[in-house]
Structures are given as structure tokens and as C-alpha cells.
Amino acid sequence: MRKEVVAAAAVTAVAVVAVLVRQYSRKKARQWRQTQRILRKFARESATPVPKLWEVANAMVSDMQASLASQEETGTLSMLVSCAASLPKGDERGLYYGVNLRGTNFFILCARLGGRNEPISDLHRKEISIPPNVLIGTSQELFDYIAAELAKFVSENPPDDTPDASERERKLGFTVSYPVDQAAATSGSAIKWKSFSANDTVEKALVNDINRALEEHGLKFRVFSLVDDTVGNLAGGRYYNNGIVASVTLAMGSNAAYVELEEAVPKWQGTIPSSILSELIINTEWGNFNCSNLPITEFDSSLDAESSNPGSRIFEKLTSAMYLGEIVRRVLLKMAQETALFGDVVPPELATPYHLRSPDMAAMHQDTSEDHDVVGEKLKEIFGITNSTPMVREVVVEVCDIVVERGARLAGAGIVGIIEKLGRIESRKSVVAVEGGLYEHYRVFRNYLHSSVWELLGSDHSDNVVIEHSHGGSGAGAVFLAACQNPKSS
């Protein structure tokens, strides 16, 4: 009898375990189906088929035209006429210096330009962090600090051995990178960070402050304009290739600049030297572009609402390195909360805004190992997730792919929009220089961008738009601007 009771108890225990296993399996199956539903919904709402991309490109053209025609703000694009009055022709010669001012640091560069078909030599570059007390001080204190560091840099590098170099005043290129990181954008800083236009009184006052600081530190340099670094990239591109009509920055921020005929800018009331064929350099500020055709999801809306600049920089929040990883994090957080993707407890680090950087996202996305081992390592390193399965890692890769494909294809639509505005799609070849880590280091992003342009233009016209990586990287454009600055236009 005792043996029968024990046997019955064992059978009951096995049955209970079997029920629990079935219940657990059903629960996990429900959670996995919910994960897939979230993923499919996100993919559907983020989709960028060619007709939608054309809607975005055409909306951008319409916004560009409206902004160029009126002094009033009629759209989301600023379309600023740049302070830079000319671009290099490629025959510039001599030793030139440039400064690229960023959110919390700056670069000083110098290079010797050898003219057409001659290599650039004596290229030197130094990155300098701005001390906190200087960063929150006045603009004059900031420029004094930059001038002092420039004086050290000049003394440490090869001298200008051209005739009368010690007597003449040298030109200094000066570019500003708009700081999109949350800390720099919200902190008190020496400069009201913005992009400058040719008639901007603030820009003129800051240029005077820079030149005053240079003079006080015994430097025979003069700055003629302060411009966005995307305009600097356009200058660098033009030095190498006169066929370049636009430049695009795809880095922590997102922007585009291009060359426009003066007659196409009714709002422009100034004068320009006839030597540059009545061309104006337009800083589009496309990061702020917005239209009803953009594929906005719940994750984008929450990111925007919780950002330091809600309602603005919408295109940038879809296309720049600052935000791509954050969108991925928000999708994964929802899955973790609603489907226990990473276990019953939501990893605390997964709830930390901006904790996933684009380089780490790229490393996971481009992991080609069979079980996505790199994804597992990054999940552990960044979020403390130690129990991910190959299926879970595949979901992470798919989320990254959706976000990157959308961002790259929207950037491609923006490029096509600019070329369409110039009326060059069907008739002339146009070269666009692209600068920034997303394009240079994120292979999948780059491939998606190129393919979107090819799909938009089709086999008949795709050869008319050539996209190439810009020359020099961060700040180099300031050197090329120095080489072509015209004092008569200041």
C-alpha cells in the first residue's frame, strides 16, 4: 500500500510539473508573439517605400522654394544665405589654418595647399577640450582661450615660409559644429549656439570678438566669416571637385548645404562678387525639416516630447547618430516591459535615455557571426543583459535594421530633393559630398542611403547623382575656407 501511495504521489508530481512546463511554454509563446507584433508594427510604421520617399523629397523642395522666396518664416527650413562668399577653385596655394568649434571642444588645423593636381602637405590637427569655466563664460573669454591655444599651435608646427609671410595678415577659417548632445545644448555656454546667415548681426559681432582676441595674442590672422561646418565640408569638396553642388553632414547632427543661383533666392538683398558667377551658398538647416509624410512612430513621438527641443529638429531626430541608438533603446525597452524579452526583470540600464550610442548599435547591427555573439557581448556590456538567446539577439538586429534603413533612406530622399530643386536630375551630373561617422563608419547605413537614391532616380537618371565621401573630416573645411576667403566681401 505504501508503495502505491508513493507511486501515486510521484505521478501527481510529474503531472504538476508537466502542467507548469506547459503553462510556462504557453506564456513564453504568447510573449514571443507579442514581441513579433511590436516588431512588425514598428517596421510597418517606419517603412519608406519609393512613393513615400518621393513625397518627402517633393515636400522638401516645396519648403525650400517657400523659404528662399520670403524673409518671413514660411516653412521648417531656414535656407540661410551663408556668410562664406566664395568656394575654393582647387588652385589655391599656401599654408592655411582653420578652427572648428564644437559643443565642448575645438579643433585647430593647418595644411599646405599645393594647387591643382598637387598633394596637400604639412597637415596637422589638434583637438582641445574647453575648460568648464570658459565654456560657461563670455564669448570673449572663449575666443581668448582659442587664440592662446592657436598661438601655441602655430609655434609648434612648421612656419609659413612663403615670401612676406611674417608681414602680411593671414586668413583663418572658422567653422562651428552645432552641438546636439543634450548636455551642451541645454547648458549655459559662451555662444548662443546657432547657424549664421550673411546678414546676421550676431555673427558679425562674434567675428569682431575673434579678431580682437587674435590681435591681443599677437597673431596676424583675421577671420572673415563664421559658418556651419556643413558649409565647410562644401568648401573642402569644391577644392577637390568643381562638380560638387552640395554637401551633407550625417554625424551627431544632420544638415545639408548647397550652391544656388542668386536669381533663385528672391529674399536675398545683398551683393556678391561677380567672380563667383552669381552663386550663393545656402545652409538649408534640414535637420529641422518636417512634413506630414515623414514615417513617425510612437517611439519617435516620445523621444521628441522628452527631448530638450520638442517639436523641432524632427528630420535630424530621424537621420542623425545622436538619436538612432535612442530609438532602438526605446523599442527594446517596450519589448522588455511588455514581453519580457530579456527576462522577467527589466534591466535598469535599458531604461536610461541615450545609453545606446550609435557606434555600439552599428557593431550589433553589422554582427555577422552565426549566433550574433557581438550582440550578446554588447547587450551585457551596455545594459547588463547576460541571458540573451540567439533568437533575442536576432530581434535586436532587426530593430537596428529598421531604424537605420529608415534614417538612411530619408537622408537619400533629402539629397534627391536638393538635386530636384536645382533642376539637375534629368540633365546634368551632380556630385554630393557626404561627411560624418554614420556615412564613413556605418556600412549598412551607407548602403541603404545609396540604394535609396538609385531607387528614387531609376536606371535612367541614377548615374546623374554621384555621392562621395568628403575630404578631410571634422574641421578640415575651415582650412579650405581660409584659402578662398575674400576680404572685400566681409
Side-chain angles (χ1 to χ4, degrees):
M1 182 69 179
R2 179 181 176 83
K3 291 181 178 179
E4 293 175 353
V5 171
V6 171
V11 170
T12 301
V14 170
V16 169
V17 170
V19 169
L20 292 175
V21 169
R22 285 196 298 272
Q23 289 177 340
Y24 179 78
S25 298
R26 285 197 292 268
K27 177 183 177 182
K28 296 304 291 184
R30 286 196 304 270
Q31 290 174 335
W32 185 251
R33 287 195 297 271
Q34 178 61 9
T35 296
Q36 292 300 311
R37 280 194 289 269
I38 293 173
L39 185 64
R40 288 194 299 270
K41 182 174 183 287
F42 180 54
R44 185 170 61 251
E45 295 177 351
S46 300
T48 52
V50 169
K52 178 173 280 291
L53 291 180
W54 267 118
E55 290 173 350
V56 171
N58 290 332
M60 183 172 285
V61 172
S62 178
D63 213 339
M64 293 170 72
Q65 292 171 331
S67 183
L68 290 174
S70 174
Q71 295 284 355
E72 306 297 327
E73 292 191 9
T74 56
T76 59
L77 294 173
S78 300
M79 303 300 286
L80 303 173
V81 179
S82 174
C83 307
S86 59
L87 293 170
K89 298 177 181 178
D91 55 2
E92 290 79 7
R93 304 177 66 89
L95 186 68
Y96 296 97
Y97 288 80
V99 172
N100 176 222
L101 177 60
R102 305 168 72 82
T104 56
N105 64 351
F106 62 94
F107 292 93
I108 302 177
L109 307 93
C110 73
R112 191 180 303 278
L113 308 186
R116 200 171 302 279
N117 300 322
E118 293 293 331
I120 293 176
S121 60
D122 291 337
L123 177 62
H124 301 276
R125 180 173 178 266
K126 183 177 182 181
E127 181 179 2
I128 301 168
S129 295
I130 303 173
N133 63 307
V134 175
L135 188 64
I136 62 173
T138 66
S139 61
Q140 194 60 62
E141 289 171 333
L142 173 63
F143 296 140
D144 282 337
Y145 183 77
I146 293 174
E149 292 297 326
L150 177 61
K152 295 179 188 176
F153 183 84
V154 171
S155 66
E156 294 167 354
N157 288 291
D160 187 350
D161 54 6
T162 56
D164 72 0
S166 61
E167 302 297 327
R168 61 180 170 82
E169 181 180 71
R170 289 183 287 182
K171 293 172 284 187
L172 177 68
F174 208 110
T175 60
V176 176
S177 296
Y178 187 80
V180 294
D181 65 85
Q182 301 296 300
T186 57
S187 65
S189 62
I191 287 183
K192 175 65 176 177
W193 292 101
K194 56 181 287 186
S195 290
F196 303 105
S197 62
N199 59 357
D200 196 320
T201 56
V202 175
E203 184 268 346
K204 290 180 172 63
L206 289 174
V207 167
N208 289 336
D209 288 345
I210 298 170
N211 288 329
R212 189 179 305 117
L214 295 173
E215 183 178 352
E216 290 176 356
H217 283 80
L219 292 166
K220 291 186 178 180
F221 284 92
R222 186 183 175 199
V223 173
F224 291 102
S225 61
L226 192 63
V227 302
D228 179 274
D229 62 349
T230 307
V231 176
N233 293 333
L234 181 57
R238 270 294 180 94
Y239 178 81
Y240 291 96
N241 186 346
N242 285 329
I244 287 180
V245 299
S247 67
V248 173
T249 297
L250 293 169
M252 292 299 282
S254 182
N255 196 15
Y258 75 104
V259 181
E260 181 68 272
L261 292 176
E262 182 183 11
E263 61 191 38
V265 191
K267 71 177 181 180
W268 173 245
Q269 302 297 320
T271 58
I272 55 178
S274 59
S275 61
I276 57 174
L277 303 177
S278 299
E279 290 180 338
L280 296 173
I281 303 162
I282 304 296
N283 174 11
T284 67
E285 282 296 293
W286 85 1
N288 205 45
F289 173 66
N290 192 9
C291 72
S292 61
N293 307 110
L294 291 176
I296 304 293
T297 70
E298 62 182 278
F299 306 102
D300 306 299
S301 297
S302 64
L303 182 154
D304 177 52
E306 297 167 19
S307 69
S308 62
N309 53 355
S312 65
R313 313 298 296 179
I314 301 301
F315 198 66
E316 184 168 80
K317 288 169 182 171
L318 296 171
T319 60
S320 74
M322 177 67 195
Y323 300 103
L324 297 186
E326 174 61 6
I327 298 169
V328 170
R329 184 197 67 81
R330 288 172 180 266
V331 178
L332 296 180
L333 177 61
K334 179 172 182 173
M335 290 177 172
Q337 292 171 333
E338 298 186 7
T339 75
L341 182 66
F342 303 112
D344 293 333
V345 178
V346 177
E349 291 88 348
L350 190 59
T352 304
Y354 297 93
H355 201 51
L356 178 59
R357 298 165 53 252
S358 60
D360 294 319
M361 174 185 169
M364 293 193 297
H365 187 188
Q366 299 177 152
D367 177 13
T368 58
S369 60
E370 184 175 354
D371 290 333
H372 294 303
D373 296 328
V374 174
V375 177
E377 294 169 4
K378 286 296 181 181
L379 290 175
K380 180 180 179 180
E381 172 190 333
I382 300 165
F383 300 119
I385 297 170
T386 59
N387 58 344
S388 64
T389 65
M391 288 177 63
V392 166
R393 296 171 201 164
E394 181 63 33
V395 169
V396 173
V397 172
E398 289 185 42
V399 174
C400 292
D401 192 66
I402 292 168
V403 172
V404 164
E405 181 178 16
R406 180 186 64 172
R409 287 173 68 83
L410 287 174
I415 289 173
V416 170
I418 291 175
I419 304 304
E420 182 185 11
K421 166 64 181 69
L422 292 172
R424 300 174 63 103
I425 287 180
E426 298 181 0
S427 58
R428 302 172 64 184
K429 179 164 289 190
S430 302
V431 183
V432 179
V434 182
E435 188 272 336
L438 274 183
Y439 185 81
E440 183 177 1
H441 302 300
Y442 205 148
R443 170 180 46 79
V444 177
F445 184 99
R446 183 171 63 249
N447 291 343
Y448 276 138
L449 185 149
H450 281 268
S451 66
S452 69
V453 174
W454 294 333
E455 289 177 37
L456 281 162
L457 300 180
S459 58
D460 291 338
H461 305 303
S462 58
D463 289 342
N464 285 352
V465 178
V466 178
I467 300 173
E468 64 179 36
H469 183 239
S470 66
H471 299 274
S474 296
V479 172
F480 295 108
L481 281 173
C484 68
Q485 286 187 78
N486 185 348
K488 293 181 181 180
S489 63
S490 62

